[in-house]
Amino acid sequence: MTPALLILTDFFRAANQALDYATNLAGPLGARLVLLHVRRDSILDSELFTGELSDLSKEATAMALSQVATGLAVPVVVEVGHGRVAFAVADAVSRHHPLVVVMGRPDYSATPDELVRTTALDLLRTAPYPMLIVPHTLTSTVLPRRVLLAVDGEEFTVGPHAGAMRHISRTLGVELTVLHVTPDAADDVSEDEVMASVQRTGLGLDLPAPMRFRRVVAASPAEGILHAAQAGGADLVVVLARPRSFWGQLFHHSVTAEVLLHSPVPVLVLPTLA
């Protein structure tokens, strides 16, 4: 089966930016695009109260999707879902089995952080799947080469998503740097332990160059990751979302959520099984 990238669109700027980014990814990956627009007509949708949702009619939505699809240089399928985004995405994922789910991050500067994180949290709870978040401020859609994988040194596994992640890394020829952030320069977690935790997942296999290691001392992990992403010229940041985070209330205050909200480069949220 031809691999797919599932793209969420509401026709706003951030979604268009994410679509451009995904289209560039789809070419070398040999992937088709599944363009999903969700008519968010559920009264339980918290973002109904922000005024940031598309209110196009069914006819206008169909026309807009057709226009977007016609201008793309890769194979594309368009779909319209209904209700809450998480359920519409879960349904599409179950049918298309995409490599990743791609969405744009709008300008949330005037929106409470708790509301911003709701959609990502809903998706992780309903359909824990790799999510690629593209910030609206991104000025380039070049393919990611320098990838920063932020880990905490604890054991983890990405289960069925390991193969898809290796396919993406191998095809794009990424340079993978494993980042460990610690509040103390004398951290007792060694480089060997951190690298071994990644190697056991298989994420470092088939790369064009050996994985690199970087340790950053920072007051908070999110601060360290964001600083490293900017200072090191990363094209993509990969963060882990552990079940203990997104099944409780911790996600709203988690490292993953903070990086997702503030990263200047795309963020791949990789759900783990532990």
Side-chain angles (χ1 to χ4, degrees), residues 93-152:
V93 163
S94 70
R95 290 181 288 105
H96 296 284
H97 307 287
L99 297 173
V100 295
V101 176
V102 186
M103 65 187 79
R105 189 192 75 202
D107 181 3
Y108 284 130
S109 56
T111 308
D113 285 1
E114 294 297 310
L115 183 58
V116 171
R117 299 173 177 128
T118 300
T119 298
L121 177 57
D122 282 349
L123 286 174
L124 285 170
R125 283 176 170 169
T126 307
Y129 218 80
M131 293 189 300
L132 179 60
I133 313 299
V134 181
H136 75 284
T137 52
L138 193 68
T139 58
S140 172
T141 57
V142 296
L143 297 174
R145 301 289 186 192
R146 295 165 297 181
V147 177
L148 200 64
L149 170 60
V151 298
D152 53 17

Coordinates of all heavy atoms in Angstrom, one line a residue, residues 93-152:
V93 N -7.4 7.7 10.5 CA -6.2 6.9 10.8 C -6.5 5.4 10.7 O -5.7 4.6 10.1 CB -5.7 7.2 12.2 CG1 -4.7 6.1 12.7 CG2 -5.0 8.6 12.2
S94 N -7.7 4.9 11.2 CA -8.0 3.5 11.1 C -8.2 3.0 9.7 O -8.0 1.8 9.4 CB -9.3 3.3 11.9 OG -10.4 3.8 11.2
R95 N -8.5 3.9 8.8 CA -8.7 3.5 7.4 C -7.5 3.7 6.5 O -7.2 3.0 5.6 CB -9.9 4.3 6.8 CG -11.2 3.9 7.4 CD -12.4 4.6 6.8 NE -12.5 6.0 7.2 CZ -12.1 7.0 6.5 NH1 -11.7 6.8 5.2 NH2 -12.3 8.3 7.0
H96 N -6.7 4.8 6.8 CA -5.6 5.1 5.9 C -4.2 4.7 6.4 O -3.2 4.7 5.7 CB -5.6 6.6 5.6 CG -6.8 7.0 4.8 ND1 -6.9 6.8 3.5 CD2 -7.9 7.7 5.2 CE1 -8.1 7.3 3.1 NE2 -8.7 7.9 4.1
H97 N -4.1 4.5 7.8 CA -2.8 4.1 8.4 C -1.7 5.0 7.9 O -0.7 4.5 7.4 CB -2.5 2.6 8.1 CG -3.6 1.7 8.4 ND1 -3.9 1.4 9.8 CD2 -4.5 1.0 7.7 CE1 -5.0 0.5 9.8 NE2 -5.3 0.3 8.5
P98 N -1.8 6.3 8.1 CA -0.8 7.2 7.7 C 0.6 7.1 8.4 O 0.6 6.5 9.5 CB -1.4 8.6 7.9 CG -2.3 8.4 9.1 CD -2.8 7.0 8.9
L99 N 1.6 7.6 7.8 CA 2.9 7.6 8.5 C 2.8 8.6 9.7 O 3.3 8.3 10.8 CB 4.0 8.1 7.6 CG 4.3 7.2 6.4 CD1 5.3 7.9 5.5 CD2 4.9 5.9 6.8
V100 N 2.2 9.7 9.5 CA 2.0 10.7 10.5 C 0.7 11.5 10.3 O 0.2 11.5 9.1 CB 3.2 11.8 10.6 CG1 4.5 11.1 11.1 CG2 3.4 12.5 9.3
V101 N 0.2 12.2 11.3 CA -0.8 13.1 11.2 C -0.2 14.5 11.2 O 0.5 14.8 12.1 CB -1.9 13.0 12.3 CG1 -2.9 14.1 12.2 CG2 -2.5 11.6 12.3
V102 N -0.5 15.3 10.2 CA 0.1 16.7 10.1 C -0.9 17.8 10.4 O -2.0 17.7 9.8 CB 0.8 16.9 8.7 CG1 1.5 18.2 8.7 CG2 1.7 15.7 8.4
M103 N -0.6 18.7 11.2 CA -1.5 19.9 11.4 C -0.7 21.1 11.6 O 0.5 21.1 12.0 CB -2.4 19.6 12.6 CG -1.7 19.5 13.9 SD -2.9 19.0 15.2 CE -2.9 17.2 14.9
G104 N -1.3 22.3 11.4 CA -0.6 23.5 11.6 C -0.9 24.0 13.0 O -1.9 23.7 13.6
R105 N 0.1 24.8 13.5 CA -0.1 25.5 14.8 C -0.3 27.0 14.5 O 0.6 27.7 14.1 CB 1.2 25.3 15.6 CG 1.0 25.8 17.1 CD 2.4 25.9 17.8 NE 3.1 27.1 17.4 CZ 4.4 27.2 17.5 NH1 5.1 26.3 18.0 NH2 5.0 28.3 17.1
P106 N -1.6 27.4 14.7 CA -1.9 28.8 14.5 C -1.3 29.8 15.5 O -0.5 29.4 16.4 CB -3.4 28.8 14.7 CG -3.9 27.4 14.6 CD -2.7 26.6 15.1
D107 N -1.5 31.1 15.3 CA -1.0 32.1 16.2 C -1.9 32.1 17.4 O -3.0 32.5 17.4 CB -1.1 33.5 15.5 CG -0.5 34.6 16.4 OD1 -0.1 34.2 17.6 OD2 -0.6 35.7 16.0
Y108 N -1.4 31.5 18.5 CA -2.1 31.4 19.7 C -1.7 32.4 20.8 O -1.9 32.2 22.0 CB -1.9 30.0 20.3 CG -2.7 28.9 19.6 CD1 -2.0 27.7 19.3 CD2 -4.0 29.0 19.4 CE1 -2.7 26.7 18.6 CE2 -4.7 28.0 18.8 CZ -4.1 26.8 18.4 OH -4.7 25.8 17.8
S109 N -1.0 33.5 20.4 CA -0.5 34.4 21.3 C -1.5 35.1 22.2 O -1.3 35.5 23.3 CB 0.3 35.5 20.6 OG -0.5 36.2 19.6
A110 N -2.8 35.1 21.7 CA -3.8 35.7 22.5 C -4.8 34.7 23.1 O -5.8 35.0 23.6 CB -4.6 36.7 21.7
T111 N -4.4 33.4 23.1 CA -5.3 32.3 23.5 C -4.7 31.7 24.8 O -3.5 31.4 24.8 CB -5.4 31.3 22.4 OG1 -5.8 31.9 21.2 CG2 -6.4 30.2 22.8
P112 N -5.5 31.4 25.8 CA -5.0 30.7 27.0 C -4.3 29.4 26.6 O -4.8 28.6 25.8 CB -6.2 30.5 27.8 CG -7.2 31.5 27.3 CD -6.9 31.7 25.9
D113 N -3.1 29.1 27.2 CA -2.4 27.9 26.9 C -3.2 26.7 27.1 O -3.1 25.7 26.4 CB -1.1 27.9 27.8 CG 0.0 28.8 27.4 OD1 -0.3 29.6 26.4 OD2 1.0 28.8 28.0
E114 N -4.0 26.6 28.1 CA -4.8 25.4 28.4 C -5.7 25.0 27.2 O -5.8 23.9 26.9 CB -5.7 25.6 29.7 CG -4.9 25.8 30.9 CD -4.0 24.6 31.3 OE1 -4.6 23.5 31.3 OE2 -2.8 24.7 31.5
L115 N -6.3 26.0 26.6 CA -7.1 25.8 25.4 C -6.3 25.3 24.2 O -6.7 24.4 23.5 CB -7.9 27.0 25.1 CG -8.9 26.9 24.0 CD1 -10.0 25.8 24.3 CD2 -9.6 28.2 23.7
V116 N -5.1 25.9 24.1 CA -4.3 25.6 22.9 C -4.0 24.1 22.9 O -3.9 23.4 21.9 CB -3.0 26.4 23.0 CG1 -2.0 25.9 22.0 CG2 -3.3 27.9 22.8
R117 N -3.7 23.5 24.1 CA -3.2 22.2 24.2 C -4.4 21.1 24.1 O -4.1 19.9 24.0 CB -2.5 22.0 25.5 CG -1.3 22.9 25.6 CD -0.7 22.8 27.0 NE 0.5 23.5 27.1 CZ 0.8 24.4 28.1 NH1 -0.1 24.7 29.0 NH2 1.9 25.1 28.1
T118 N -5.6 21.6 24.1 CA -6.7 20.7 24.1 C -6.8 19.7 22.9 O -7.0 18.5 23.1 CB -8.0 21.4 24.3 OG1 -8.0 22.2 25.4 CG2 -9.2 20.5 24.3
T119 N -6.6 20.2 21.7 CA -6.7 19.4 20.5 C -5.7 18.3 20.5 O -5.9 17.2 20.3 CB -6.6 20.3 19.3 OG1 -7.7 21.2 19.2 CG2 -6.7 19.4 18.0
A120 N -4.4 18.7 20.8 CA -3.3 17.7 20.8 C -3.6 16.7 21.9 O -3.4 15.5 21.7 CB -2.0 18.4 21.1
L121 N -4.1 17.1 23.1 CA -4.4 16.1 24.1 C -5.5 15.2 23.7 O -5.4 14.0 23.9 CB -4.7 16.9 25.4 CG -5.1 16.0 26.6 CD1 -4.0 15.0 27.0 CD2 -5.5 16.9 27.8
D122 N -6.5 15.7 23.1 CA -7.6 14.9 22.6 C -7.2 13.8 21.6 O -7.6 12.7 21.7 CB -8.7 15.8 22.0 CG -9.6 16.4 23.1 OD1 -9.5 16.1 24.3 OD2 -10.4 17.3 22.7
L123 N -6.3 14.3 20.7 CA -5.8 13.3 19.7 C -5.0 12.2 20.3 O -5.1 11.1 20.0 CB -5.0 14.1 18.7 CG -5.7 14.9 17.7 CD1 -4.8 15.8 16.8 CD2 -6.6 14.1 16.8
L124 N -4.1 12.6 21.3 CA -3.3 11.6 22.0 C -4.1 10.6 22.7 O -3.8 9.4 22.8 CB -2.3 12.3 22.9 CG -1.1 13.0 22.2 CD1 -0.3 13.8 23.1 CD2 -0.2 11.9 21.5
R125 N -5.2 11.1 23.3 CA -6.0 10.2 24.1 C -6.9 9.3 23.2 O -7.1 8.1 23.5 CB -7.0 11.0 25.0 CG -6.3 11.5 26.3 CD -7.3 12.4 27.0 NE -6.7 12.8 28.3 CZ -7.3 13.7 29.1 NH1 -8.4 14.3 28.7 NH2 -6.8 14.0 30.3
T126 N -7.4 9.8 22.1 CA -8.3 9.1 21.3 C -7.6 8.3 20.2 O -8.0 7.1 20.0 CB -9.3 10.1 20.6 OG1 -9.9 11.0 21.5 CG2 -10.3 9.4 19.8
A127 N -6.6 8.8 19.6 CA -5.8 8.1 18.6 C -4.4 8.4 18.8 O -3.8 9.2 18.1 CB -6.3 8.5 17.2
P128 N -3.7 7.8 19.7 CA -2.3 8.0 20.0 C -1.4 7.7 18.8 O -1.1 6.5 18.5 CB -1.9 7.2 21.2 CG -3.0 6.1 21.2 CD -4.2 6.7 20.7
Y129 N -1.1 8.7 18.0 CA -0.5 8.5 16.7 C 0.6 9.6 16.5 O 0.4 10.7 17.1 CB -1.5 8.6 15.6 CG -1.3 7.6 14.4 CD1 -1.7 6.3 14.5 CD2 -0.7 8.1 13.3 CE1 -1.4 5.4 13.5 CE2 -0.4 7.2 12.2 CZ -0.8 5.9 12.3 OH -0.6 5.0 11.3
P130 N 1.7 9.3 15.8 CA 2.7 10.4 15.6 C 2.0 11.6 15.0 O 1.3 11.5 14.0 CB 3.7 9.7 14.6 CG 3.6 8.3 14.9 CD 2.1 8.0 15.2
M131 N 2.3 12.8 15.6 CA 1.7 14.0 15.1 C 2.8 15.0 14.7 O 3.7 15.2 15.5 CB 0.8 14.7 16.2 CG -0.4 14.0 16.5 SD -1.5 15.0 17.6 CE -0.4 15.2 19.0
L132 N 2.8 15.6 13.6 CA 3.7 16.5 13.1 C 3.1 17.9 13.1 O 2.1 18.2 12.4 CB 4.2 16.2 11.7 CG 5.2 17.2 11.1 CD1 6.5 17.3 11.9 CD2 5.6 16.7 9.7
I133 N 3.5 18.8 14.0 CA 2.9 20.1 14.2 C 3.8 21.2 13.5 O 5.0 21.3 13.9 CB 2.8 20.5 15.7 CG1 2.2 19.3 16.5 CG2 1.9 21.7 15.9 CD1 0.8 18.9 16.0
V134 N 3.2 21.9 12.6 CA 4.0 22.9 11.8 C 3.6 24.3 12.3 O 2.4 24.7 12.1 CB 3.7 22.7 10.3 CG1 4.5 23.8 9.5 CG2 4.1 21.3 9.8
P135 N 4.5 25.1 12.8 CA 4.1 26.4 13.3 C 3.8 27.4 12.2 O 4.4 27.3 11.1 CB 5.4 26.9 14.1 CG 6.5 26.1 13.5 CD 5.9 24.8 13.1
H136 N 2.9 28.3 12.4 CA 2.5 29.2 11.4 C 3.6 30.2 11.0 O 3.6 30.8 10.0 CB 1.3 30.0 11.9 CG 1.6 31.1 12.9 ND1 1.9 30.8 14.2 CD2 1.7 32.4 12.8 CE1 2.1 31.9 14.9 NE2 2.1 32.9 14.1
T137 N 4.6 30.3 11.9 CA 5.7 31.2 11.7 C 6.8 30.6 10.8 O 7.7 31.4 10.4 CB 6.4 31.6 13.0 OG1 6.7 30.4 13.7 CG2 5.4 32.5 13.8
L138 N 6.7 29.4 10.4 CA 7.7 28.7 9.6 C 7.8 29.4 8.2 O 6.8 29.6 7.6 CB 7.4 27.2 9.4 CG 8.5 26.4 8.9 CD1 9.6 26.3 9.9 CD2 8.0 25.0 8.5
T139 N 9.0 29.8 7.9 CA 9.2 30.5 6.6 C 9.7 29.6 5.5 O 9.8 30.1 4.3 CB 10.2 31.7 6.8 OG1 11.4 31.2 7.3 CG2 9.6 32.7 7.8
S140 N 10.1 28.4 5.8 CA 10.7 27.5 4.8 C 10.0 26.1 4.9 O 9.7 25.7 6.0 CB 12.2 27.4 5.0 OG 12.7 26.4 4.1
T141 N 9.8 25.5 3.8 CA 9.2 24.1 3.8 C 10.3 23.1 3.3 O 9.9 22.0 2.8 CB 8.0 24.0 2.9 OG1 8.3 24.5 1.6 CG2 6.9 24.9 3.5
V142 N 11.6 23.4 3.4 CA 12.6 22.5 3.0 C 12.5 21.2 3.8 O 12.1 21.3 5.0 CB 14.0 23.1 3.1 CG1 14.2 24.3 2.2 CG2 14.3 23.5 4.6
L143 N 13.0 20.2 3.3 CA 12.9 18.9 4.0 C 13.8 18.9 5.2 O 14.9 19.5 5.2 CB 13.4 17.8 3.0 CG 12.6 17.5 1.8 CD1 13.2 16.5 0.9 CD2 11.2 17.1 2.2
P144 N 13.3 18.3 6.3 CA 14.1 18.3 7.5 C 15.3 17.4 7.4 O 15.2 16.2 7.0 CB 13.1 17.8 8.6 CG 12.1 17.0 7.8 CD 12.0 17.7 6.5
R145 N 16.5 17.9 7.8 CA 17.7 17.1 7.7 C 18.3 16.9 9.1 O 18.7 15.8 9.5 CB 18.8 17.7 6.8 CG 18.3 17.9 5.4 CD 18.2 16.6 4.6 NE 17.9 16.8 3.2 CZ 17.5 15.9 2.4 NH1 17.4 14.6 2.8 NH2 17.3 16.1 1.1
R146 N 18.4 18.1 9.9 CA 19.0 18.0 11.2 C 17.9 17.9 12.2 O 17.1 18.8 12.5 CB 19.7 19.3 11.4 CG 20.9 19.5 10.5 CD 21.4 20.9 10.5 NE 20.4 21.9 10.0 CZ 20.6 23.2 9.8 NH1 21.7 23.7 10.2 NH2 19.6 23.9 9.3
V147 N 17.8 16.7 12.8 CA 16.7 16.3 13.7 C 17.2 16.2 15.1 O 18.2 15.5 15.3 CB 16.0 15.0 13.2 CG1 14.9 14.6 14.2 CG2 15.4 15.1 11.8
L148 N 16.4 16.8 16.0 CA 16.8 16.7 17.4 C 15.8 15.9 18.1 O 14.6 16.2 18.2 CB 16.7 18.2 18.0 CG 17.5 18.5 19.3 CD1 19.0 18.3 19.1 CD2 17.2 19.9 19.7
L149 N 16.2 14.8 18.7 CA 15.4 13.8 19.5 C 15.6 14.1 20.9 O 16.6 13.7 21.5 CB 15.7 12.4 19.1 CG 15.0 11.3 19.9 CD1 13.5 11.4 19.9 CD2 15.5 9.9 19.5
A150 N 14.6 14.6 21.6 CA 14.7 14.9 23.0 C 14.2 13.7 23.9 O 13.1 13.3 23.7 CB 13.9 16.1 23.4
V151 N 15.1 13.2 24.7 CA 14.7 12.0 25.5 C 15.1 12.3 27.0 O 15.9 13.2 27.3 CB 15.4 10.7 25.1 CG1 15.0 10.4 23.7 CG2 17.0 10.9 25.1
D152 N 14.5 11.6 27.9 CA 14.8 11.8 29.3 C 15.7 10.7 30.0 O 16.0 10.8 31.1 CB 13.5 11.8 30.1 CG 12.6 10.6 29.9 OD1 13.1 9.6 29.4 OD2 11.4 10.7 30.2

